[in-house]
Amino acid sequence: MPGPARSDQPEAKDNQGGKLLRASEERLALALKASKMGIWELDLQTREVSWSQECLAICGLSGFGSDLASFGSRVYPDDLERVRLVLEEAIVSHQPFVIEYRSLHGDGRWRWLANRGEAQYDSEGAPTCMVGTVQDVTESRLFAEELQTSERRFRQLADSICEVFWLTDTATREVLYVSPGYERIWGRTCESLYQSPDDWLEAIHPTDRGPIEATLKCRGEGAWEEEFRITRPDGEVRWVRSQAFPVHDQQGAIVRIAGIAEDVTKRRELEAQVRHTQKMQSIGELAGGVAHDFNNLLTVISTASDLLDRMLPENPEARELVQEVRSAQQRAASLTRQLLAFARKDVYERRIVDLDASVADTERMLRRLLGEDILLTTKLGAYGKRVRIDPGQLAQVLMNLAVNARDAMPSGGSLHIETAVVVRSSGASEGQPFIKITVADSGLGMDDEVRARVFEPFFTTKDVGEGTGIGLAVVFGAIDQAGGKIELCSVPGHGTTFTILLPAAEADVSATHAQSGTSAGSGETILLVEDEAMVRRLAERGLRLNGYNVISAGNAREAITILGSAQPIHLLLTDIVMPGMDGRQLAAEARVLRPEIRVLYASGYTDEAMIRRGVDRSEVNFLPKPYSLETLARGVREALESDVLPPVVGGSNPAEAVPKRSA
């Protein structure tokens, strides 16, 4: 039997190998197409280049020259030399190469291409060809450039602002980024935070560190916001406001913690200054109200003392007791004025004052202010010389300097106040007499930096909450307003001396003359309006003793009824602050009913409180409380002889509010 037909085995193997090769080439072609990559080959002997169809598609060409020069003609001129050097280096080094360059696309635009390849060599090591791939990387290059631009802008922003930006990894607690603001605020390098992520926490003030650590432990990876103090390496303490918030991935898991921190030291200082200002305003309001009531009581004491002095028989012991009461009243009145000057900003009135007498009057308050561990000594040598200054401001200057000295002597010491008369020997004021006030302490002294800023508003060397830095600024402003100068000499460890120069002033002749004139009445009728019954009764008795006819009223409505009658009234003496209608409104009504009536205001309130009610004491006849019978009579006489009349404004319609005067 014939056997089965036999095929030629070598031929079958060749066919199978060809199929495998074609399949491999097809898979390679698909892979290149999928990756948008083309293949090229350069014959180093003939300089001819073979391009795959994918290469032509990438370059946007239907055909391409086979010589190397055709390839070079489409490379961007600035990149051509770099491409040539890379190819030569790859041949010499026997190493693969990668290069990106710009090439002219078929649509006329420049595209970024990435070439990867290596050289082939013969058995003797001579280079024969180069093979490689080409790929369009324009989009990735543009994205990388945009990313670099964005990164550069972010860096510029982070470098230029004062706040701190930071980013940490929740898994490793590694600090991924911190902006240069960290160095400006914390005073520590960014590198130290990268190396030790708890570096920022260790800088927190010991008092605040516990609450912050508790916040971090409680809130973990959640959002939080806190304000705390940090201590810089140079010892400076700053307030920082820090916020943190989580960053989630696409699945919602927290992968980062981002945050921002800012230096809020200045804001905290301003807030403290505002709170202090508000507190001082509240104290001022309270002091103003207390002064009003206190001055009414002092008026009663003063006028009662004067009446007793007139009524008592010639008994030296009794009169001595009355004089003690009067002296106590005067000291209390002085204390009230000084407390108001110290506690709040008042409307100042520069007057001629005896400097030595003012210093001596303030000395009693200074001793209580300084305490027993500071020795206060004075040497008054101005010999009755006068200066033009507001007495309250002068007292405030001395108290502020004393407080500054006290704080510079925590363990006690000495404070010396001295006055003297000096004559300027040079300058525009040559030959002019000045009064010199020297305030010297044995305290800690000041260095150059502190001396240069000591009169700046809100500058202080004290800890937060212990000082506002306005005391010496007020001193400087008060002396400047009075036309004087203040100088400072201080050495660390050797105390501080302030020297004040105030122009000497002549006595106010007109005031002296006015005080020397008679204050007795000639039967004029005074309408006295005072809501405090004790003050009203004693003032009425005192005016009657001085020859005046007095009609009393307890409020403005009673006074308007009297003004509407036919009785002759020459002067309205009214308190300014009263329940219901105040003194200013009453005066306006009085001027409608009696156009020629004179008005004398009396008040124990401060100037500022009166101005809020429309009364400027410099523009009206004014009698401050507390007053004595002598100052009351003199004030009434001056008001009767004065040409000052209050304006006819601010009252109600008298035709409807009060009865008409009979003809």
Side-chain angles (χ1 to χ4, degrees):
M1 289 183 62
R6 300 176 59 188
S7 63
D8 187 358
Q9 287 183 339
E11 183 177 350
K13 289 181 179 180
D14 290 343
N15 290 337
Q16 185 177 3
K19 290 179 181 180
L20 292 174
L21 179 60
R22 286 193 298 272
S24 177
E25 291 176 347
E26 289 174 358
R27 286 195 297 269
L28 177 60
L30 288 173
L32 292 173
K33 184 176 182 181
S35 62
K36 298 182 180 180
M37 190 178 296
I39 300 176
W40 55 268
E41 181 177 349
L42 169 63
D43 188 319
L44 295 177
Q45 303 300 321
T46 64
R47 315 295 287 180
E48 291 183 353
V49 185
S50 300
W51 305 93
S52 68
Q53 289 298 319
E54 287 79 7
C55 287
L56 296 177
I58 289 171
C59 294
L61 302 172
S62 57
F64 198 64
S66 61
D67 58 318
L68 189 59
S70 297
F71 162 75
S73 66
R74 305 194 71 83
V75 176
Y76 192 75
D78 291 349
D79 298 342
L80 184 59
E81 180 64 16
R82 180 166 55 86
V83 171
R84 185 184 66 80
L85 292 175
V86 167
L87 295 178
E88 291 180 355
E89 176 64 23
I91 294 172
V92 173
S93 65
H94 291 230
Q95 295 294 325
F97 69 88
V98 178
I99 186 172
E100 293 184 4
Y101 58 90
R102 287 161 290 185
S103 178
L104 185 62
H105 194 268
D107 61 7
R109 293 183 297 176
W110 294 101
R111 306 285 291 181
W112 279 96
L113 301 181
N115 258 330
R116 294 173 175 82
E118 62 179 333
Q120 302 292 319
Y121 307 87
D122 59 17
S123 59
E124 297 179 356
T128 58
C129 66
M130 297 188 79
V131 294
T133 61
V134 64
Q135 187 177 20
D136 190 328
V137 293
T138 303
E139 298 302 326
S140 61
R141 286 285 301 214
L142 292 177
F143 178 77
E145 290 177 359
E146 291 176 359
L147 186 62
Q148 290 177 355
T149 300
S150 176
E151 176 72 12
R152 184 171 59 255
R153 290 172 179 170
F154 173 78
R155 294 284 181 179
Q156 291 173 344
L157 176 64
D159 290 348
S160 62
I161 66 174
C162 297
E163 288 79 3
V164 181
F165 293 109
W166 49 269
L167 186 67
T168 60
D169 186 286
T170 57
T172 64
R173 295 186 67 251
E174 178 186 3
V175 177
L176 303 177
Y177 174 76
V178 60
S179 68
Y182 180 74
E183 298 184 357
R184 290 191 289 268
I185 296 178
W186 261 260
R188 301 165 181 242
T189 65
C190 295
E191 186 62 30
S192 67
L193 188 62
Y194 287 126
Q195 295 176 357
S196 176
D198 289 333
D199 187 64
W200 71 277
L201 188 60
E202 294 171 358
I204 295 179
H205 193 280
T207 306
D208 300 342
R209 189 178 304 163
I212 296 302
E213 290 176 340
T215 296
L216 297 177
K217 182 178 180 180
C218 175
R219 301 184 185 178
E221 298 173 354
W224 57 271
E225 178 179 346
E226 294 289 343
E227 286 192 10
F228 49 84
R229 289 167 294 176
I230 62 169
T231 304
R232 290 163 49 91
D234 58 5
E236 181 184 1
V237 176
R238 291 188 180 182
W239 277 96
V240 173
R241 177 174 176 265
S242 184
Q243 302 176 76
F245 50 90
V247 179
H248 302 81
D249 61 13
Q250 294 181 348
Q251 287 72 40
I254 299 176
V255 294
R256 303 282 189 272
I257 298 294
I260 182 172
E262 60 178 323
D263 188 338
V264 294
T265 306
K266 294 296 183 183
R267 192 205 72 194
R268 297 279 298 211
E269 291 175 352
L270 290 174
E271 288 176 351
Q273 292 163 12
V274 170
R275 286 194 298 271
H276 178 76
T277 300
Q278 292 172 341
K279 180 177 69 175
M280 293 303 292
Q281 288 174 345
S282 299
I283 292 174
E285 292 295 330
L286 176 62
V290 170
H292 173 258
D293 295 338
F294 195 49
N295 283 333
N296 276 331
L297 295 175
L298 291 176
T299 300
V300 172
I301 296 172
S302 176
T303 52
S305 300
D306 291 343
L307 289 171
L308 279 174
D309 193 36
R310 295 188 183 190
M311 296 169 61
L312 284 172
E314 291 296 330
N315 185 328
E317 292 184 2
R319 291 187 179 278
E320 183 178 348
L321 290 175
V322 171
Q323 184 58 40
E324 287 293 334
V325 173
R326 185 181 288 116
S327 297
Q329 178 270 330
Q330 292 172 351
R331 288 197 298 271
S334 175
L335 176 63
T336 303
R337 289 193 302 270
Q338 293 174 23
L339 286 174
L340 285 172
F342 181 71
R344 64 200 297 268
K345 183 179 179 182
D346 209 346
V347 179
Y348 300 115
E349 179 184 1
R350 292 176 61 192
R351 300 201 303 267
I352 302 295
V353 298
D354 185 315
L355 183 64
D356 282 357
S358 297
V359 173
D361 189 48
T362 308
E363 182 180 349
R364 287 184 289 270
M365 175 174 282
L366 296 184
R367 292 190 185 278
R368 293 190 294 272
L369 185 69
L370 293 172
E372 297 180 354
D373 59 345
I374 296 178
L375 175 64
L376 173 63
T377 58
T378 59
K379 181 180 179 181
L380 305 181
Y383 308 113
K385 289 291 184 180
R386 295 171 171 83
V387 295
R388 184 179 292 276
I389 191 173
D390 182 275
Q393 276 191 310
L394 179 58
Q396 187 171 13
V397 165
L398 294 174
M399 283 189 289
N400 286 2
L401 291 177
V403 168
N404 185 76
R406 181 196 65 189
D407 294 342
M409 297 182 288
S411 301
S414 62
L415 177 66
H416 180 69
I417 301 176
E418 183 173 337
T419 64
V421 180
V422 297
V423 178
R424 299 296 291 269
S425 58
S426 61
S429 56
E430 181 178 356
Q432 179 181 352
F434 278 77
I435 309 300
K436 181 173 73 171
I437 308 174
T438 304
V439 181
D441 66 63
S442 60
L444 301 174
M446 310 177 193
D447 57 25
D448 293 341
E449 181 180 355
V450 174
R451 283 198 303 273
R453 302 185 58 191
V454 72
F455 293 117
E456 291 183 12
F458 305 117
F459 171 75
T460 179
T461 58
K462 301 173 185 176
D463 293 336
V464 176
E466 296 184 4
T468 62
I470 62 174
L472 293 181
V474 169
V475 169
F476 182 88
I479 298 303
D480 185 66
Q481 284 181 348
K485 301 290 184 182
I486 182 168
E487 299 173 352
L488 166 65
C489 178
S490 184
V491 178
H494 293 82
T496 299
T497 299
F498 289 92
T499 302
I500 299 171
L501 291 177
L502 291 171
E506 297 295 330
D508 193 330
V509 178
S510 60
T512 304
H513 175 73
Q515 293 181 14
S516 64
T518 179
S519 58
S522 302
E524 296 93 335
T525 299
I526 311 297
L527 174 55
L528 172 63
V529 187
E530 171 62 61
D531 60 314
E532 290 288 341
M534 289 189 299
V535 176
R536 185 171 66 250
R537 287 195 301 268
L538 291 172
E540 181 179 350
R541 293 185 65 176
L543 289 172
R544 290 186 188 281
L545 287 176
N546 276 278
Y548 294 102
N549 180 37
V550 183
I551 304 173
S552 296
N555 56 59
R557 288 299 174 185
E558 291 180 17
I560 290 177
T561 301
I562 296 170
L563 288 166
S565 68
Q567 303 179 70
I569 299 176
H570 301 91
L571 175 70
L572 170 65
L573 170 54
T574 177
D575 195 14
I576 293 177
V577 181
M578 297 183 295
M581 182 182 294
D582 62 28
R584 180 192 63 85
Q585 294 170 320
L586 173 59
E589 298 282 11
R591 286 277 289 119
V592 173
L593 294 168
R594 298 174 182 258
E596 299 302 321
I597 194 171
R598 292 325 191 243
V599 177
L600 174 61
Y601 292 107
S603 180
Y605 273 101
T606 61
D607 287 353
E608 185 176 351
M610 290 188 295
I611 284 177
R612 289 201 299 269
R613 291 168 173 83
V615 178
D616 186 343
R617 63 184 289 182
S618 65
E619 300 175 356
V620 298
N621 297 311
F622 180 75
L623 179 65
K625 294 180 180 179
Y627 52 73
S628 64
L629 290 185
E630 180 184 355
T631 56
L632 171 62
R634 186 167 61 246
V636 167
R637 173 50 52 193
E638 291 176 356
L640 285 169
E641 297 175 356
S642 171
D643 294 329
V644 177
L645 294 174
V648 188
V649 293
S652 60
N653 186 349
E656 300 176 357
V658 299
K660 295 182 180 293
R661 294 175 59 192
S662 58

